[in-house]
């Protein structure tokens, strides 16, 4: 026996950590099937994927906001189930617009979608997996560490005609506190080498890590005596190569370092340090 199909609409809720950079993660799905009196939302209140991508995320505040939106959807959905509210035009988009205004806040609804289903509840679960939770299992996977990337660069330094010892340094900024670097060389200016492994599981975590480095290095703009260099390690997943190049573009456009290179091209940074070491101060 074939189950009857009903029309549904759905809207995906997205969290934008930095609207200017454009990085975002999907955090919820709202589904409306008015003919079956169904209106529900599944939201992400916290996950390793979110906290790893955005360590400065206020988890408690974020959780409260998502739960408040879910509570409003549940209230409307209960009225639909009880028959006190029926509107065949009650789409996910019309509900979403009432829940959140269209502004520059960190939460926004994406363009709605639609389809046919015999089970709105199962369809909601499927959509949530597709748009929100599909990357959770390996969201924080990082095959190569930052220090693995640095070791590639270090091999180039060992061939230098001068003895270069990079050591940990703490940079103090007037307004943003201290920034710690593991690999720095002082000769007049402080030359800082920052390795970053972008060998991540997916594009979200790749861009998230690059964006966090932009935030860290932006704090150094007040100190002209600090000269940062970024050495990046590419992802092993070939399908993320385009995203990797985009992350390098993001770092370059932010103008936070003297040079930003792939580890295979890090001889450029080694040469810059060799030249700095050769100067007499």
């Amino acid at each position: 026996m074939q189950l009857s199909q009903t029309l549904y609409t759905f809207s995906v809720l997205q969290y934008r950590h930095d609207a200017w950079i454009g990085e975002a993660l999907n955090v919820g799905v709202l589904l409306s099937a008015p003919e079956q009196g169904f209106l529900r939302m599944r939201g992400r209140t916290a996950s390793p994927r979110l906290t790893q991508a955005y360590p400065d995320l206020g988890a408690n505040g974020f959780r409260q906001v998502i739960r408040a939106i879910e509570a409003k959807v549940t209230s409307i959905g209960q009225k639909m189930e009880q028959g006190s509210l029926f509107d065949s035009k009650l789409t996910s988009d019309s509900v979403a617009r009432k829940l959140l205004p269209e502004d520059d806040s960190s939460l926004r609804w994406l363009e709605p979608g639609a389809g046919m289903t015999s089970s709105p509840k199962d369809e909601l679960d499927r959509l949530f997996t597709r748009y929100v939770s599909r990357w959770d299992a390996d969201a924080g996977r990082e095959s190569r560490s930052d220090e693995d990337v640095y070791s590639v660069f270090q091999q180039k330094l060992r061939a230098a005609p001068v003895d270069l010892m990079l050591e940990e340094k703490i940079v103090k900024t007037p307004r943003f506190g201290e920034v710690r670097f593991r690999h720095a060389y002082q000769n007049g200016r402080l030359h800082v080498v920052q390795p970053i492994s972008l060998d991540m599981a997916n594009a979200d975590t790749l861009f998230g890590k690059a964006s966090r480095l932009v935030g860290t290095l932006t704090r150094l703009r007040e100190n002209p005596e600090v000269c940062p260099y970024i050495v990046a390690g590419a992802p092993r997943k070939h399908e993320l190569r385009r995203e990797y190049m985009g992350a390098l573009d993001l770092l370059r456009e932010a103008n936070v370092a003297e040079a930003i290179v792939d580890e295979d091209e890090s001889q450029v940074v080694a040469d810059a340090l060799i030249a700095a070491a050769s100067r007499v101060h």
Side-chain angles (χ1 to χ4, degrees):
M1 179 180 176
Q2 186 175 2
L3 298 177
S4 60
Q5 299 281 304
T6 187
L7 175 68
Y8 72 87
T9 56
F10 72 96
S11 297
V12 175
L13 182 62
Q14 193 172 77
Y15 170 72
R16 295 181 297 175
H17 189 70
D18 190 322
W20 182 77
I21 293 177
E23 57 171 338
L25 288 178
N26 297 336
V27 294
V29 178
L30 169 67
L31 188 145
S32 175
E35 290 183 357
Q36 290 199 16
F38 185 95
L39 179 71
R40 291 186 191 175
M41 173 182 166
R42 280 196 64 182
R44 159 77 73 235
T45 55
S47 74
R49 183 184 179 198
L50 271 173
T51 54
Q52 288 170 9
Y54 311 119
D56 57 340
L57 173 70
N60 289 335
F62 178 81
R63 187 180 299 110
Q64 291 174 4
V65 170
I66 297 297
R67 285 179 174 171
I69 296 173
E70 288 179 322
K72 291 180 181 178
V73 173
T74 298
S75 177
I76 300 172
Q78 287 175 343
K79 293 178 181 179
M80 289 178 62
E81 290 178 2
Q82 295 166 1
S84 59
L85 174 64
F86 177 77
D87 184 351
S88 60
K89 297 180 180 179
L90 193 66
T91 63
S92 64
D93 188 51
S94 65
V95 175
R97 291 177 185 274
K98 294 178 181 178
L99 295 172
L100 287 175
E102 293 186 17
D103 54 23
D104 294 329
S105 65
S106 58
L107 290 172
R108 67 170 180 175
W109 296 98
L110 302 184
E111 289 297 316
M116 301 293 292
T117 183
S118 59
S119 173
K121 180 181 180 302
D122 290 344
E123 190 66 24
L124 176 60
D125 291 340
R126 186 186 68 80
L127 291 169
F128 184 83
T129 299
R130 177 182 177 184
Y131 288 101
V132 180
S133 65
R134 63 180 298 184
W135 302 113
D136 283 358
D138 63 351
R141 182 197 63 84
E142 181 178 317
S143 296
R144 300 176 66 219
S145 68
D146 293 347
E147 291 307 301
D148 289 332
V149 174
Y150 181 76
S151 67
V152 175
F153 167 73
Q154 194 174 39
Q155 293 297 323
K156 303 181 187 302
L157 273 187
R158 287 175 180 165
V162 294
D163 187 21
L164 279 171
M165 294 294 295
L166 274 64
E167 57 186 4
E168 184 172 295
K169 292 285 187 179
I170 296 175
V171 179
K172 295 183 178 179
T173 63
R175 293 187 299 165
F176 302 112
E178 298 180 344
V179 184
R180 185 184 302 270
F181 294 98
R182 296 191 63 181
H183 310 288
Y185 177 76
Q186 184 86 53
N187 188 18
R189 299 178 73 189
L190 181 65
H191 298 266
V192 172
V193 178
Q194 178 58 57
I196 178 172
S197 171
L198 294 176
D199 187 20
M200 313 301 286
N202 56 68
D204 288 337
T205 49
L206 188 154
F207 277 109
K209 187 171 182 180
S211 299
R212 291 195 299 276
L213 181 57
V214 168
T216 297
L217 295 182
T218 298
R219 297 159 62 187
L220 300 179
R221 284 178 174 167
E222 295 182 342
N223 192 333
E225 296 304 311
V226 179
C227 183
Y229 303 89
I230 298 174
V231 177
R236 294 183 181 181
K237 286 186 174 181
H238 180 72
E239 60 268 29
L240 290 178
R241 186 70 190 183
R242 183 169 63 88
E243 285 76 8
Y244 172 66
M245 300 307 296
L248 293 186
D249 288 341
L250 183 154
L251 290 166
R252 290 179 179 126
E253 289 171 7
N255 195 29
V256 292
E258 188 77 13
I260 299 165
V261 300
D262 180 84
E263 60 188 321
D264 291 340
E265 302 168 349
S266 58
Q267 186 63 52
V268 173
V269 176
D271 290 344
L273 291 182
I274 294 168
S278 302
R279 300 187 190 106
V280 178
H281 292 274

